[in-house]
Amino acid sequence: MELRQLHYFVAVVEEANFTRAAQRLRIAQPAVSAQIRRLESELGQPLLDRSRRTVRLTAAGAAVLPHARAALAAAAAARHAVDDLTGLLRGTVSIGTVTSHTVDLPALLADFHAEHPNVEVTLSTDSSDALIDKLRTGRLDVAIVSIGPRERPDGLDIAVITEEAVDAAVAPGDPFAGRPHVGLAELADRPVITLPTGAGLRRQFDRACARAGVTPRIAFEAATPQAVADLAEHGLGVAIVPRSVARGRDTLRAVRLRPQVRGRLVWAWRAGDTLSPPARVLVRRARESGSRTP
C-alpha cells in the first residue's frame, strides 16, 4: 500500500468522479484508475462503486477512508516537522474566491511567491456556499467568501475584509428612481436581477425576503454584481447589489432597501490547528492585508 494510492483514493471520493480527481491531481485519469485498482486488489475488496454516474464509496471504502485521510495527514505532519526544523517552507496552498471582491489578490500572491518560491499555489473561483464546503472538507486552505453580517460558518475562522449594505439599483427612468428607499414587499411585482443561488449576497437577500413574507420574482441571474448592474442599466429590472456597486455608476440610481440587508466579505479558513505551514503563512499575510477579525 502506497501513500500515492491513498492520495488518489481520497481525491476520487471528494470529487465523486475519476476525471475531476485526475484534473485536480494533474495526472492522466488512467493512472488514477490503475492505482486505485491496485489498492483494491491489495485489500481484497472494491472500495468504490463505479456503476453509477457519480462514484460512491462501498462499505469497505467507507471503512478505509478515515484511515486513508489519517495516513496522509500523518505523512504531511512529518514533512512539516522537518520543514519547520530546517526553516524551509514548501508544499501547496489552495485558495478559493468569489468572482467579485476588493482584495488585490494578484499582489498578495506575488509577494507570497517571492518570499516562498517552493510553495505551489492554486487559485479557483466558485460560489460562497461551494467555497465554504470545500474549506470544511479540506479541498481548500483559505478562501474569500461572502456571508451575513453576524454569520460565522461552523468550523471556520474568519477575518472581515469589508461590510456594507445591499441596495436596489435601477435605470434612471425606472419607477423606483429618485425614491430614498423601497420596501421588500414592493419587489414582489417587479422583475428582480440578482446573483445566483449559492452566492452570499443572494442568500442574505433571500433570507430578508423570507422574513418579510415576500416571494420576489427573479427575472435574471448574473455571475457578478457588475453583471447584475449591467442588466439593470438597460432597464431590465431591479438589481440587488452591494451599495458600492449601486452608487458607483452614473447610469444607475441607488435605492435603499427596507428593511436593510447587509453582507460582508471575509477571509475564511478551517478553525483549529489544521492548516499546513504554508497555509498558515498565507492566512497570516491575508489577515495583515487590511482585514480585521470580528
Side-chain angles (χ1 to χ4, degrees):
M1 186 183 303
E2 301 176 6
L3 285 175
R4 176 178 56 175
Q5 295 169 341
L6 299 179
H7 185 45
Y8 292 1
F9 169 62
V10 171
V12 172
V13 171
E14 291 179 347
E15 297 295 338
N17 182 277
F18 277 87
T19 301
R20 289 196 299 269
Q23 292 171 345
R24 168 176 154 185
L25 296 166
R26 298 183 180 179
I27 59 175
Q29 191 224 304
V32 176
S33 300
Q35 290 299 326
I36 292 180
R37 281 197 301 269
R38 290 176 186 173
L39 178 61
E40 291 175 322
S41 177
E42 183 173 345
L43 293 174
Q45 292 289 332
L47 303 179
L48 299 169
D49 179 359
R50 303 162 173 82
S51 64
R52 306 181 185 183
R53 193 169 187 176
T54 300
V55 177
R56 298 186 180 185
L57 285 167
T58 63
V64 169
L65 181 60
H67 299 289
R69 283 178 166 153
L72 293 172
R79 288 193 297 269
H80 297 156
V82 173
D83 290 346
D84 287 344
L85 183 64
T86 60
L88 176 65
L89 195 67
R90 63 185 178 188
T92 62
V93 177
S94 298
I95 306 170
T97 178
V98 292
T99 54
S100 178
H101 55 77
T102 58
V103 177
D104 189 354
L105 199 51
L108 177 65
L109 296 183
D111 290 345
F112 179 83
H113 177 70
E115 293 181 10
H116 309 290
N118 294 315
V119 176
E120 179 183 358
V121 180
T122 62
L123 178 65
S124 60
T125 60
D126 215 324
S127 68
S128 290
D129 285 357
L131 293 171
I132 288 170
D133 179 66
K134 290 177 181 179
L135 286 171
R136 287 172 173 155
T137 58
R139 286 176 286 174
L140 289 176
D141 294 306
V142 59
I144 300 173
V145 299
S146 176
I147 61 175
R150 291 175 294 278
E151 184 180 0
R152 183 189 294 269
D154 292 341
L156 302 182
D157 284 334
I158 62 173
V160 179
I161 300 168
T162 59
E163 180 174 333
E164 64 178 317
V166 177
D167 281 352
V170 295
D174 189 274
F176 288 166
R179 291 181 51 175
H181 56 79
V182 61
L184 290 175
E186 297 179 79
L187 298 178
D189 297 324
R190 296 294 311 278
V192 173
I193 312 166
T194 186
L195 297 174
T197 300
L201 184 148
R202 172 65 179 273
R203 190 188 320 112
Q204 304 315 312
F205 176 67
D206 288 346
R207 286 176 177 174
C209 288
R211 288 193 296 268
V214 176
T215 302
R217 179 160 63 92
I218 307 300
F220 299 96
E221 293 180 342
T224 68
Q226 290 74 20
V228 170
D230 289 343
L231 294 171
E233 281 185 352
H234 289 80
L236 294 173
V238 181
I240 306 300
V241 291
R243 179 165 291 172
S244 58
V245 174
R247 300 191 174 189
R249 302 191 184 197
D250 294 336
T251 51
L252 285 177
R253 299 294 180 264
V255 186
R256 295 175 182 266
L257 292 173
R258 289 290 185 270
Q260 188 182 75
V261 180
R262 297 187 68 82
R264 57 180 175 173
L265 198 68
V266 303
W267 285 102
W269 60 93
R270 289 185 302 284
D273 189 22
T274 60
L275 294 178
S276 67
R280 286 200 299 270
V281 172
L282 183 60
V283 166
R284 184 173 67 248
R285 292 294 299 271
R287 296 178 65 174
E288 291 170 351
S289 64
S291 303
R292 65 184 190 276
T293 301

